[in-house]
Amino acid sequence: MQAAATGVEPPGTGDGAAVEAVLPIAGMTCANCAARIERGLRRTAGVRTAAVNLASERAAVAFDPARVGLPALVGAIRALGYEVPEAATRLSIEGIVCSSCVQRLERALGAAAGVLGATVNLSTGEAVVRHPAGLVDASALVRAVEAAGYRAEELDGAADDAGARAREVRRWRDRMLLAAGLSAPLVAAMVARLAAPGSPVTALLETGWLQLVLATPVQFVAGWTFYRDGYFNLRTGNANMSVLVALGTSAAYFYSLAGVLFGRRLGITATYFETSALLIALVLLGKYLEAAAKGRTSAAIGRLRGLRAKTARVLRGGSAEDVPLGAVRVGDTILVRPGEKVPVDGEVVEGVSAVDESMLTGESLPVDKAVGDAVVGGSLNTLGSFTFRATRVGRDTVLGQIVRSVEQAQGSKAPIQRIADAISNYFVPAVIAIALVTFLGWYLGTGNVAAALLSATAVLVVSCPCALGLATPTAIMVATGRGAENGILFRGGEHLEAAGRIRAVVFDKTGTITRGRPVVTDVVPMGGAGRAAVLATAAGVEARSEHPVARAIVEAAEREGLAPAPAEGVLALAGRGVSARVAGRAVLIGNTALMSREGIDAGPARDGLARLEAEGKTAVLVARDGGVMGVVAVADTVRPEAGPAVAALRAMGVDVWMITGDNRRAAAQIARQVGIAPDHVLAEVLPDDKAAKVRQLQRTGLRVAMVGDGINDAPALATADVGLAMGTGTDVALETADIALIRGDLRGVVAAIDLSRATLGKIRQNLFWALVYNCVGIPVAALGHLNPIIAGSAMALSSVAVTTNSLLLKRFRPLRRIGGPAPAGVGR
């Protein structure tokens, strides 16, 4: 976002015609806020008038677009501490053929009124246009695209663009079939000339007028897309693949046309209609195969969207009616029967069931649901019927957020894409110059116009930049889709690239390496008491407490089927424990200080206490009638996958650190369990200091990833080169993390880094082969060793090869480095 210009500008003194924009504003609380924003906007150079309405939360701004742009106005408002809510409009665009198209469309959309920024994806054929919410009409964006020479239609957040993709593939296929069908007799003439010279069939096929009739529809019907696209590019001072194809084939066609019309007068004895027609057919074949392959790169989005229900059974007016998913509103009561998908997110209000949530969590076992439990849209109801109240609909659902996150990542550009963008800016003009030099060199050197024409045409055709433009986005698309299928959401291509360069991972302990809530690990009976008696007694006393240790004891008793012993006169003793009477007997639960104060000898339990505390556990004594009856130990247990994940990261050459606010002894115990070196444990670190510790590691030259829960660790996550948030699709994790591990499995950290490295490898391979192809092909063509038809075949295959190489990432198994079984739904 560019900064707002500043300075005093009296209203009405601008140079150009004023344009008015109505901007939404969030964060205003009083009339002073509105006045402050008005003053700030009026001080912005180029602003004529500004009026802010507190009630409607809108600012009407008249400004001179020649002096100030909408991004500067938004920047001025944000600089005052308020927010301009943004929206994004997605467009499906037809006719994009190379990276030059992408750049031209981004400029055209960026110049449209009200637009803050636009990103066009060559692989998906989609554009994401950012603008203030409610300010831009999608039809205006469509008109801007059409003015640039393309076709577009709006894709709403829930729309599936499979139909648009299929239509695009069919168009390329139909053009290719037309060109191939009419080129076949021309190729047959070329073959007949070699196999049966002088035969009647050969004479007929070589008739100039017949070849002209066959080649003309190929040139100007099937090949019209290249002329049209080339014209719009040249009109704006650009040149792309279409320009090269149009120039090369036109040279061969019009040379041959001159031979048919004025051959004797000009001394032209041969025509090359088969060259121009077959070149167009081959290029169209390549575009058809490329379009089909690009459709497969976005298959993950289709599968995610396919998880949604198509309709919902809403209870209205005492009866159930099926309504389209888009008609569901927050607060609606929805009935779900066995075997049906849950249409939106909500909360159960009646009934019980078991719901398969493997699409989100990867957990294959259905989850029991009862009144008050949350349900997630896209999950499958397996047993009983239930009704629930809709709490989130449309793009706000967990599944909608996941789809949006993948769409954003697939539409973004990785930094490595800048290499291809920089090359593309100069590539086509350089190729045209090389083709001209080739033509002149051959003509001046041999005097043979036909040889010069064929060599120049080969240069133009062989040097198509499509492969270069597809090298990065296709790999990014496949990788982000593959990540989403494995519960890994990359927020953008830049984060996907950054993850592969990580050399140190810092894990938060509580809730990340550990489960984040204490559980009973040991029950040590003493003085003749049984284990069940100790646990039941402790659970009875702690039943009404909300303390984490108390809840752990109660849950342990419930898991073992023990009924808590009824307790009376429960009294909390601050800092020491609790006292009560159970079955008429005095019971104390607490630490050694409590026992000492009450005159109870804790000596027999000292060895057990020391051992448990050395293991980093919290141990409490249970005493009855003046004697210790047992010890209960509670600890925050380590996630079972933590050890294998740490081992896998170290095997990949990544340093692993742990950061925690706990004491050093407890932290060291957890570190030993998962295999983190003692000198890589950062203990007793306050939450506000975690970010500083991350910066210290970065200053040593390491690229650092921080893994936390997405809420408490937000400053450290933001400071790290890559922030990975654990969670099960929560809003915070999805909206704030660079990478969200929605299944809450630590092996996702390994998978994210591994997938990123594999993707970077594919991008480098694609860029290497695209550049080598051109570096080798252009000189060979310029020297006359490459027939234009062979050049066209090679050009078509280069784009398909790059896309196919990226598609190999679909076979990537992100967890192959980790021993043992993968969690359900991961690594498939």
Side-chain angles (χ1 to χ4, degrees):
M1 186 74 66
Q2 72 185 72
T6 57
V8 178
E9 175 70 14
T13 61
D15 300 320
V19 172
E20 183 171 291
V22 179
L23 302 175
I25 300 177
M28 292 189 295
T29 58
C30 64
N32 285 338
C33 297
R36 182 165 173 247
I37 295 171
E38 284 185 358
R39 288 194 299 270
L41 286 170
R42 288 169 180 166
R43 285 197 298 265
T44 302
V47 172
R48 306 285 185 84
T49 62
V52 179
N53 187 311
L54 178 63
S56 64
E57 297 186 323
R58 294 284 189 273
V61 187
F63 62 98
D64 180 357
R67 305 188 61 201
V68 65
L70 190 65
L73 300 181
V74 173
I77 294 171
R78 288 176 174 168
L80 294 170
Y82 302 92
E83 188 55 54
V84 177
E86 287 188 12
T89 298
R90 292 175 57 237
L91 302 175
S92 174
I93 302 178
E94 298 173 6
I96 303 177
V97 294
C98 71
S99 55
S100 295
C101 301
V102 169
Q103 295 171 21
R104 184 155 59 91
L105 280 164
E106 288 180 348
R107 284 195 294 270
L109 287 168
V115 171
L116 298 175
T119 301
V120 178
N121 190 299
L122 174 64
S123 298
T124 62
E126 289 185 11
V128 178
V129 186
R130 294 186 301 105
H131 53 81
L135 184 63
V136 174
D137 183 10
S139 61
L141 302 178
V142 170
R143 288 194 296 272
V145 171
E146 292 174 344
Y150 302 86
R151 296 180 59 187
E153 63 182 58
E154 182 186 10
L155 292 171
D156 62 50
D160 188 345
D161 60 348
R165 173 65 63 189
R167 289 193 298 273
E168 179 82 354
V169 173
R170 282 198 301 272
R171 268 189 284 273
W172 286 115
R173 181 199 63 193
D174 293 345
R175 294 167 185 154
M176 180 270 297
L177 290 176
L178 172 64
L182 295 176
S183 298
L186 300 174
V187 176
M190 184 172 59
V191 173
R193 190 183 308 131
L194 299 174
S199 70
V201 174
T202 302
L204 175 63
L205 292 174
E206 287 189 320
T207 303
W209 287 102
L210 174 63
Q211 293 199 347
L212 176 62
V213 169
L214 292 170
T216 299
V218 176
Q219 191 72 34
F220 300 110
V221 179
W224 180 249
T225 181
F226 302 117
Y227 284 104
R228 184 175 183 274
D229 185 58
Y231 163 74
F232 279 103
N233 269 276
L234 292 173
R235 192 179 72 173
T236 55
N238 298 300
N240 67 346
M241 179 273 291
S242 293
V243 173
L244 298 181
V245 173
L247 283 174
T249 59
S250 295
Y253 175 85
F254 286 109
Y255 179 85
S256 302
L257 176 63
V260 171
L261 298 177
F262 313 109
R264 291 182 181 177
R265 190 183 312 169
L266 298 176
I268 300 174
T269 58
T271 59
Y272 298 96
F273 286 119
E274 74 279 356
T275 299
S276 62
L278 192 55
L279 277 176
I280 289 176
L282 288 170
V283 174
L284 291 172
L285 172 62
K287 300 307 294 181
Y288 165 62
L289 295 175
E290 179 187 310
K294 286 194 295 188
R296 292 195 294 275
T297 64
S298 56
I301 286 287
R303 283 192 290 272
L304 288 170
R305 288 174 175 160
L307 294 171
R308 297 173 307 201
K310 300 295 186 293
T311 60
R313 186 168 288 103
V314 179
L315 301 178
R316 290 174 180 166
S319 62
E321 59 175 306
D322 289 336
V323 301
L325 194 62
V328 178
R329 298 291 179 262
V330 172
D332 281 346
T333 301
I334 301 168
L335 171 65
V336 183
R337 295 181 298 193
E340 294 180 340
K341 288 183 177 180
V342 178
V344 296
D345 295 358
E347 180 180 306
V348 177
V349 295
E350 183 180 350
V352 294
S353 185
V355 177
D356 180 358
E357 297 181 342
S358 58
M359 45 71 69
L360 177 67
T361 65
E363 175 55 57
S364 58
L365 295 177
V367 180
D368 292 335
K369 298 293 181 181
V371 175
D373 290 338
V375 289
V376 180
S379 56
L380 181 66
N381 183 30
T382 61
L383 292 177
S385 297
F386 65 89
T387 57
F388 73 95
R389 180 177 56 83
T391 56
R392 289 187 292 190
V393 300
R395 291 170 69 87
D396 294 329
T397 64
V398 169
L399 182 59
Q401 292 178 67
I402 292 172
V403 170
R404 185 165 69 249
S405 180
V406 177
E407 287 172 345
Q408 290 170 347
Q410 292 191 341
S412 64
K413 291 183 179 181
I416 199 171
Q417 174 72 24
R418 296 174 190 147
I419 299 173
D421 290 344
I423 295 172
S424 296
N425 288 334
Y426 305 101
F427 186 79
V428 175
V431 167
I432 294 174
I434 293 171
L436 288 173
V437 171
T438 299
F439 179 86
L440 292 173
W442 275 89
Y443 179 70
L444 296 175
T446 65
N448 188 331
V449 176
L453 179 66
L454 290 176
S455 296
T457 299
V459 169
L460 289 170
V461 174
V462 79
S463 53
C464 169
C466 288
L468 195 62
L470 290 168
T472 299
T474 53
I476 294 292
M477 284 188 63
V478 177
T480 51
R482 188 71 182 129
E485 291 170 344
N486 287 274
I488 305 164
L489 293 184
F490 294 94
R491 294 283 294 170
E494 66 274 22
H495 306 306
L496 174 60
E497 179 179 335
R501 298 193 167 97
I502 290 301
R503 289 295 174 266
V505 173
V506 179
F507 287 102
D508 178 58
K509 182 183 79 69
T510 304
T512 303
I513 289 181
T514 64
R515 295 184 184 276
R517 59 187 184 90
V519 297
V520 171
T521 58
D522 302 84
V523 178
V524 183
M526 303 176 68
R531 183 182 187 281
V534 173
L535 190 55
T537 299
V541 175
E542 301 284 16
R544 298 178 185 177
S545 173
E546 293 300 322
H547 191 280
V549 172
R551 298 310 307 158
I553 292 172
V554 173
E555 289 172 3
E558 291 174 349
R559 282 196 303 272
E560 297 187 18
L562 300 175
E568 299 174 345
V570 178
L571 177 65
L573 305 171
R576 293 183 175 86
V578 63
S579 67
R581 297 193 69 82
V582 176
R585 306 172 74 174
V587 174
L588 288 173
I589 300 176
N591 53 26
T592 54
L594 175 63
M595 300 300 153
S596 177
R597 194 189 76 167
E598 297 297 326
I600 298 174
D601 182 13
R606 280 203 174 87
D607 290 344
L609 283 174
R611 174 181 61 82
L612 294 170
E613 290 175 351
E615 294 174 358
K617 300 172 182 177
T618 299
V620 295
L621 295 162
V622 181
R624 185 173 60 187
D625 290 340
V628 175
M629 67 180 298
V631 180
V632 178
V634 175
D636 185 5
T637 56
V638 171
R639 293 176 183 267
E641 77 276 9
V646 169
L649 287 170
R650 294 179 65 177
M652 296 166 66
V654 177
D655 284 346
V656 182
W657 296 71
M658 186 179 77
I659 192 167
T660 179
D662 284 356
N663 63 72
R664 296 188 181 279
R665 186 173 67 177
Q669 174 63 26
I670 295 296
R672 278 195 299 273
Q673 291 183 50
V674 298
I676 296 176
D679 60 344
H680 279 45
V681 177
L682 305 172
E684 300 176 6
V685 179
L686 296 175
D688 293 342
D689 294 334
K690 290 181 179 180
K693 294 294 184 181
V694 170
R695 281 192 290 270
Q696 286 180 12
L697 288 175
Q698 290 172 323
R699 283 195 287 269
T700 66
L702 293 173
R703 290 181 179 268
V704 180
M706 174 70 192
V707 186
D709 63 12
I711 303 174
N712 299 329
D713 305 307
L717 288 167
T719 300
D721 296 284
V722 177
L724 296 97
M726 302 287 290
T728 53
T730 61
D731 288 341
V732 174
L734 290 172
E735 295 297 333
T736 63
D738 298 331
I739 302 172
L741 307 177
I742 60 173
R743 289 176 180 164
D745 191 307
L746 283 180
R747 285 172 287 194
V749 179
V750 185
I753 295 174
D754 210 11
L755 179 58
S756 173
R757 291 182 178 182
T759 305
L760 286 173
K762 284 295 179 189
I763 291 173
R764 293 188 186 105
Q765 290 172 18
N766 289 345
L767 290 173
F768 173 79
W769 289 113
L771 291 170
V772 166
Y773 158 80
N774 284 295
C775 290
V776 172
I778 292 174
V780 171
L783 292 173
H785 300 311
L786 194 62
N787 183 282
I789 294 174
I790 302 299
S793 302
M795 184 272 286
L797 289 174
S798 67
S799 297
V800 176
V802 164
T803 306
T804 303
N805 188 44
S806 296
L807 283 170
L808 293 177
L809 284 169
K810 282 178 170 284
R811 300 162 60 183
F812 179 74
R813 296 293 180 266
L815 297 179
R816 70 185 191 277
R817 294 182 182 272
I818 304 177
V826 178
R828 293 176 182 170

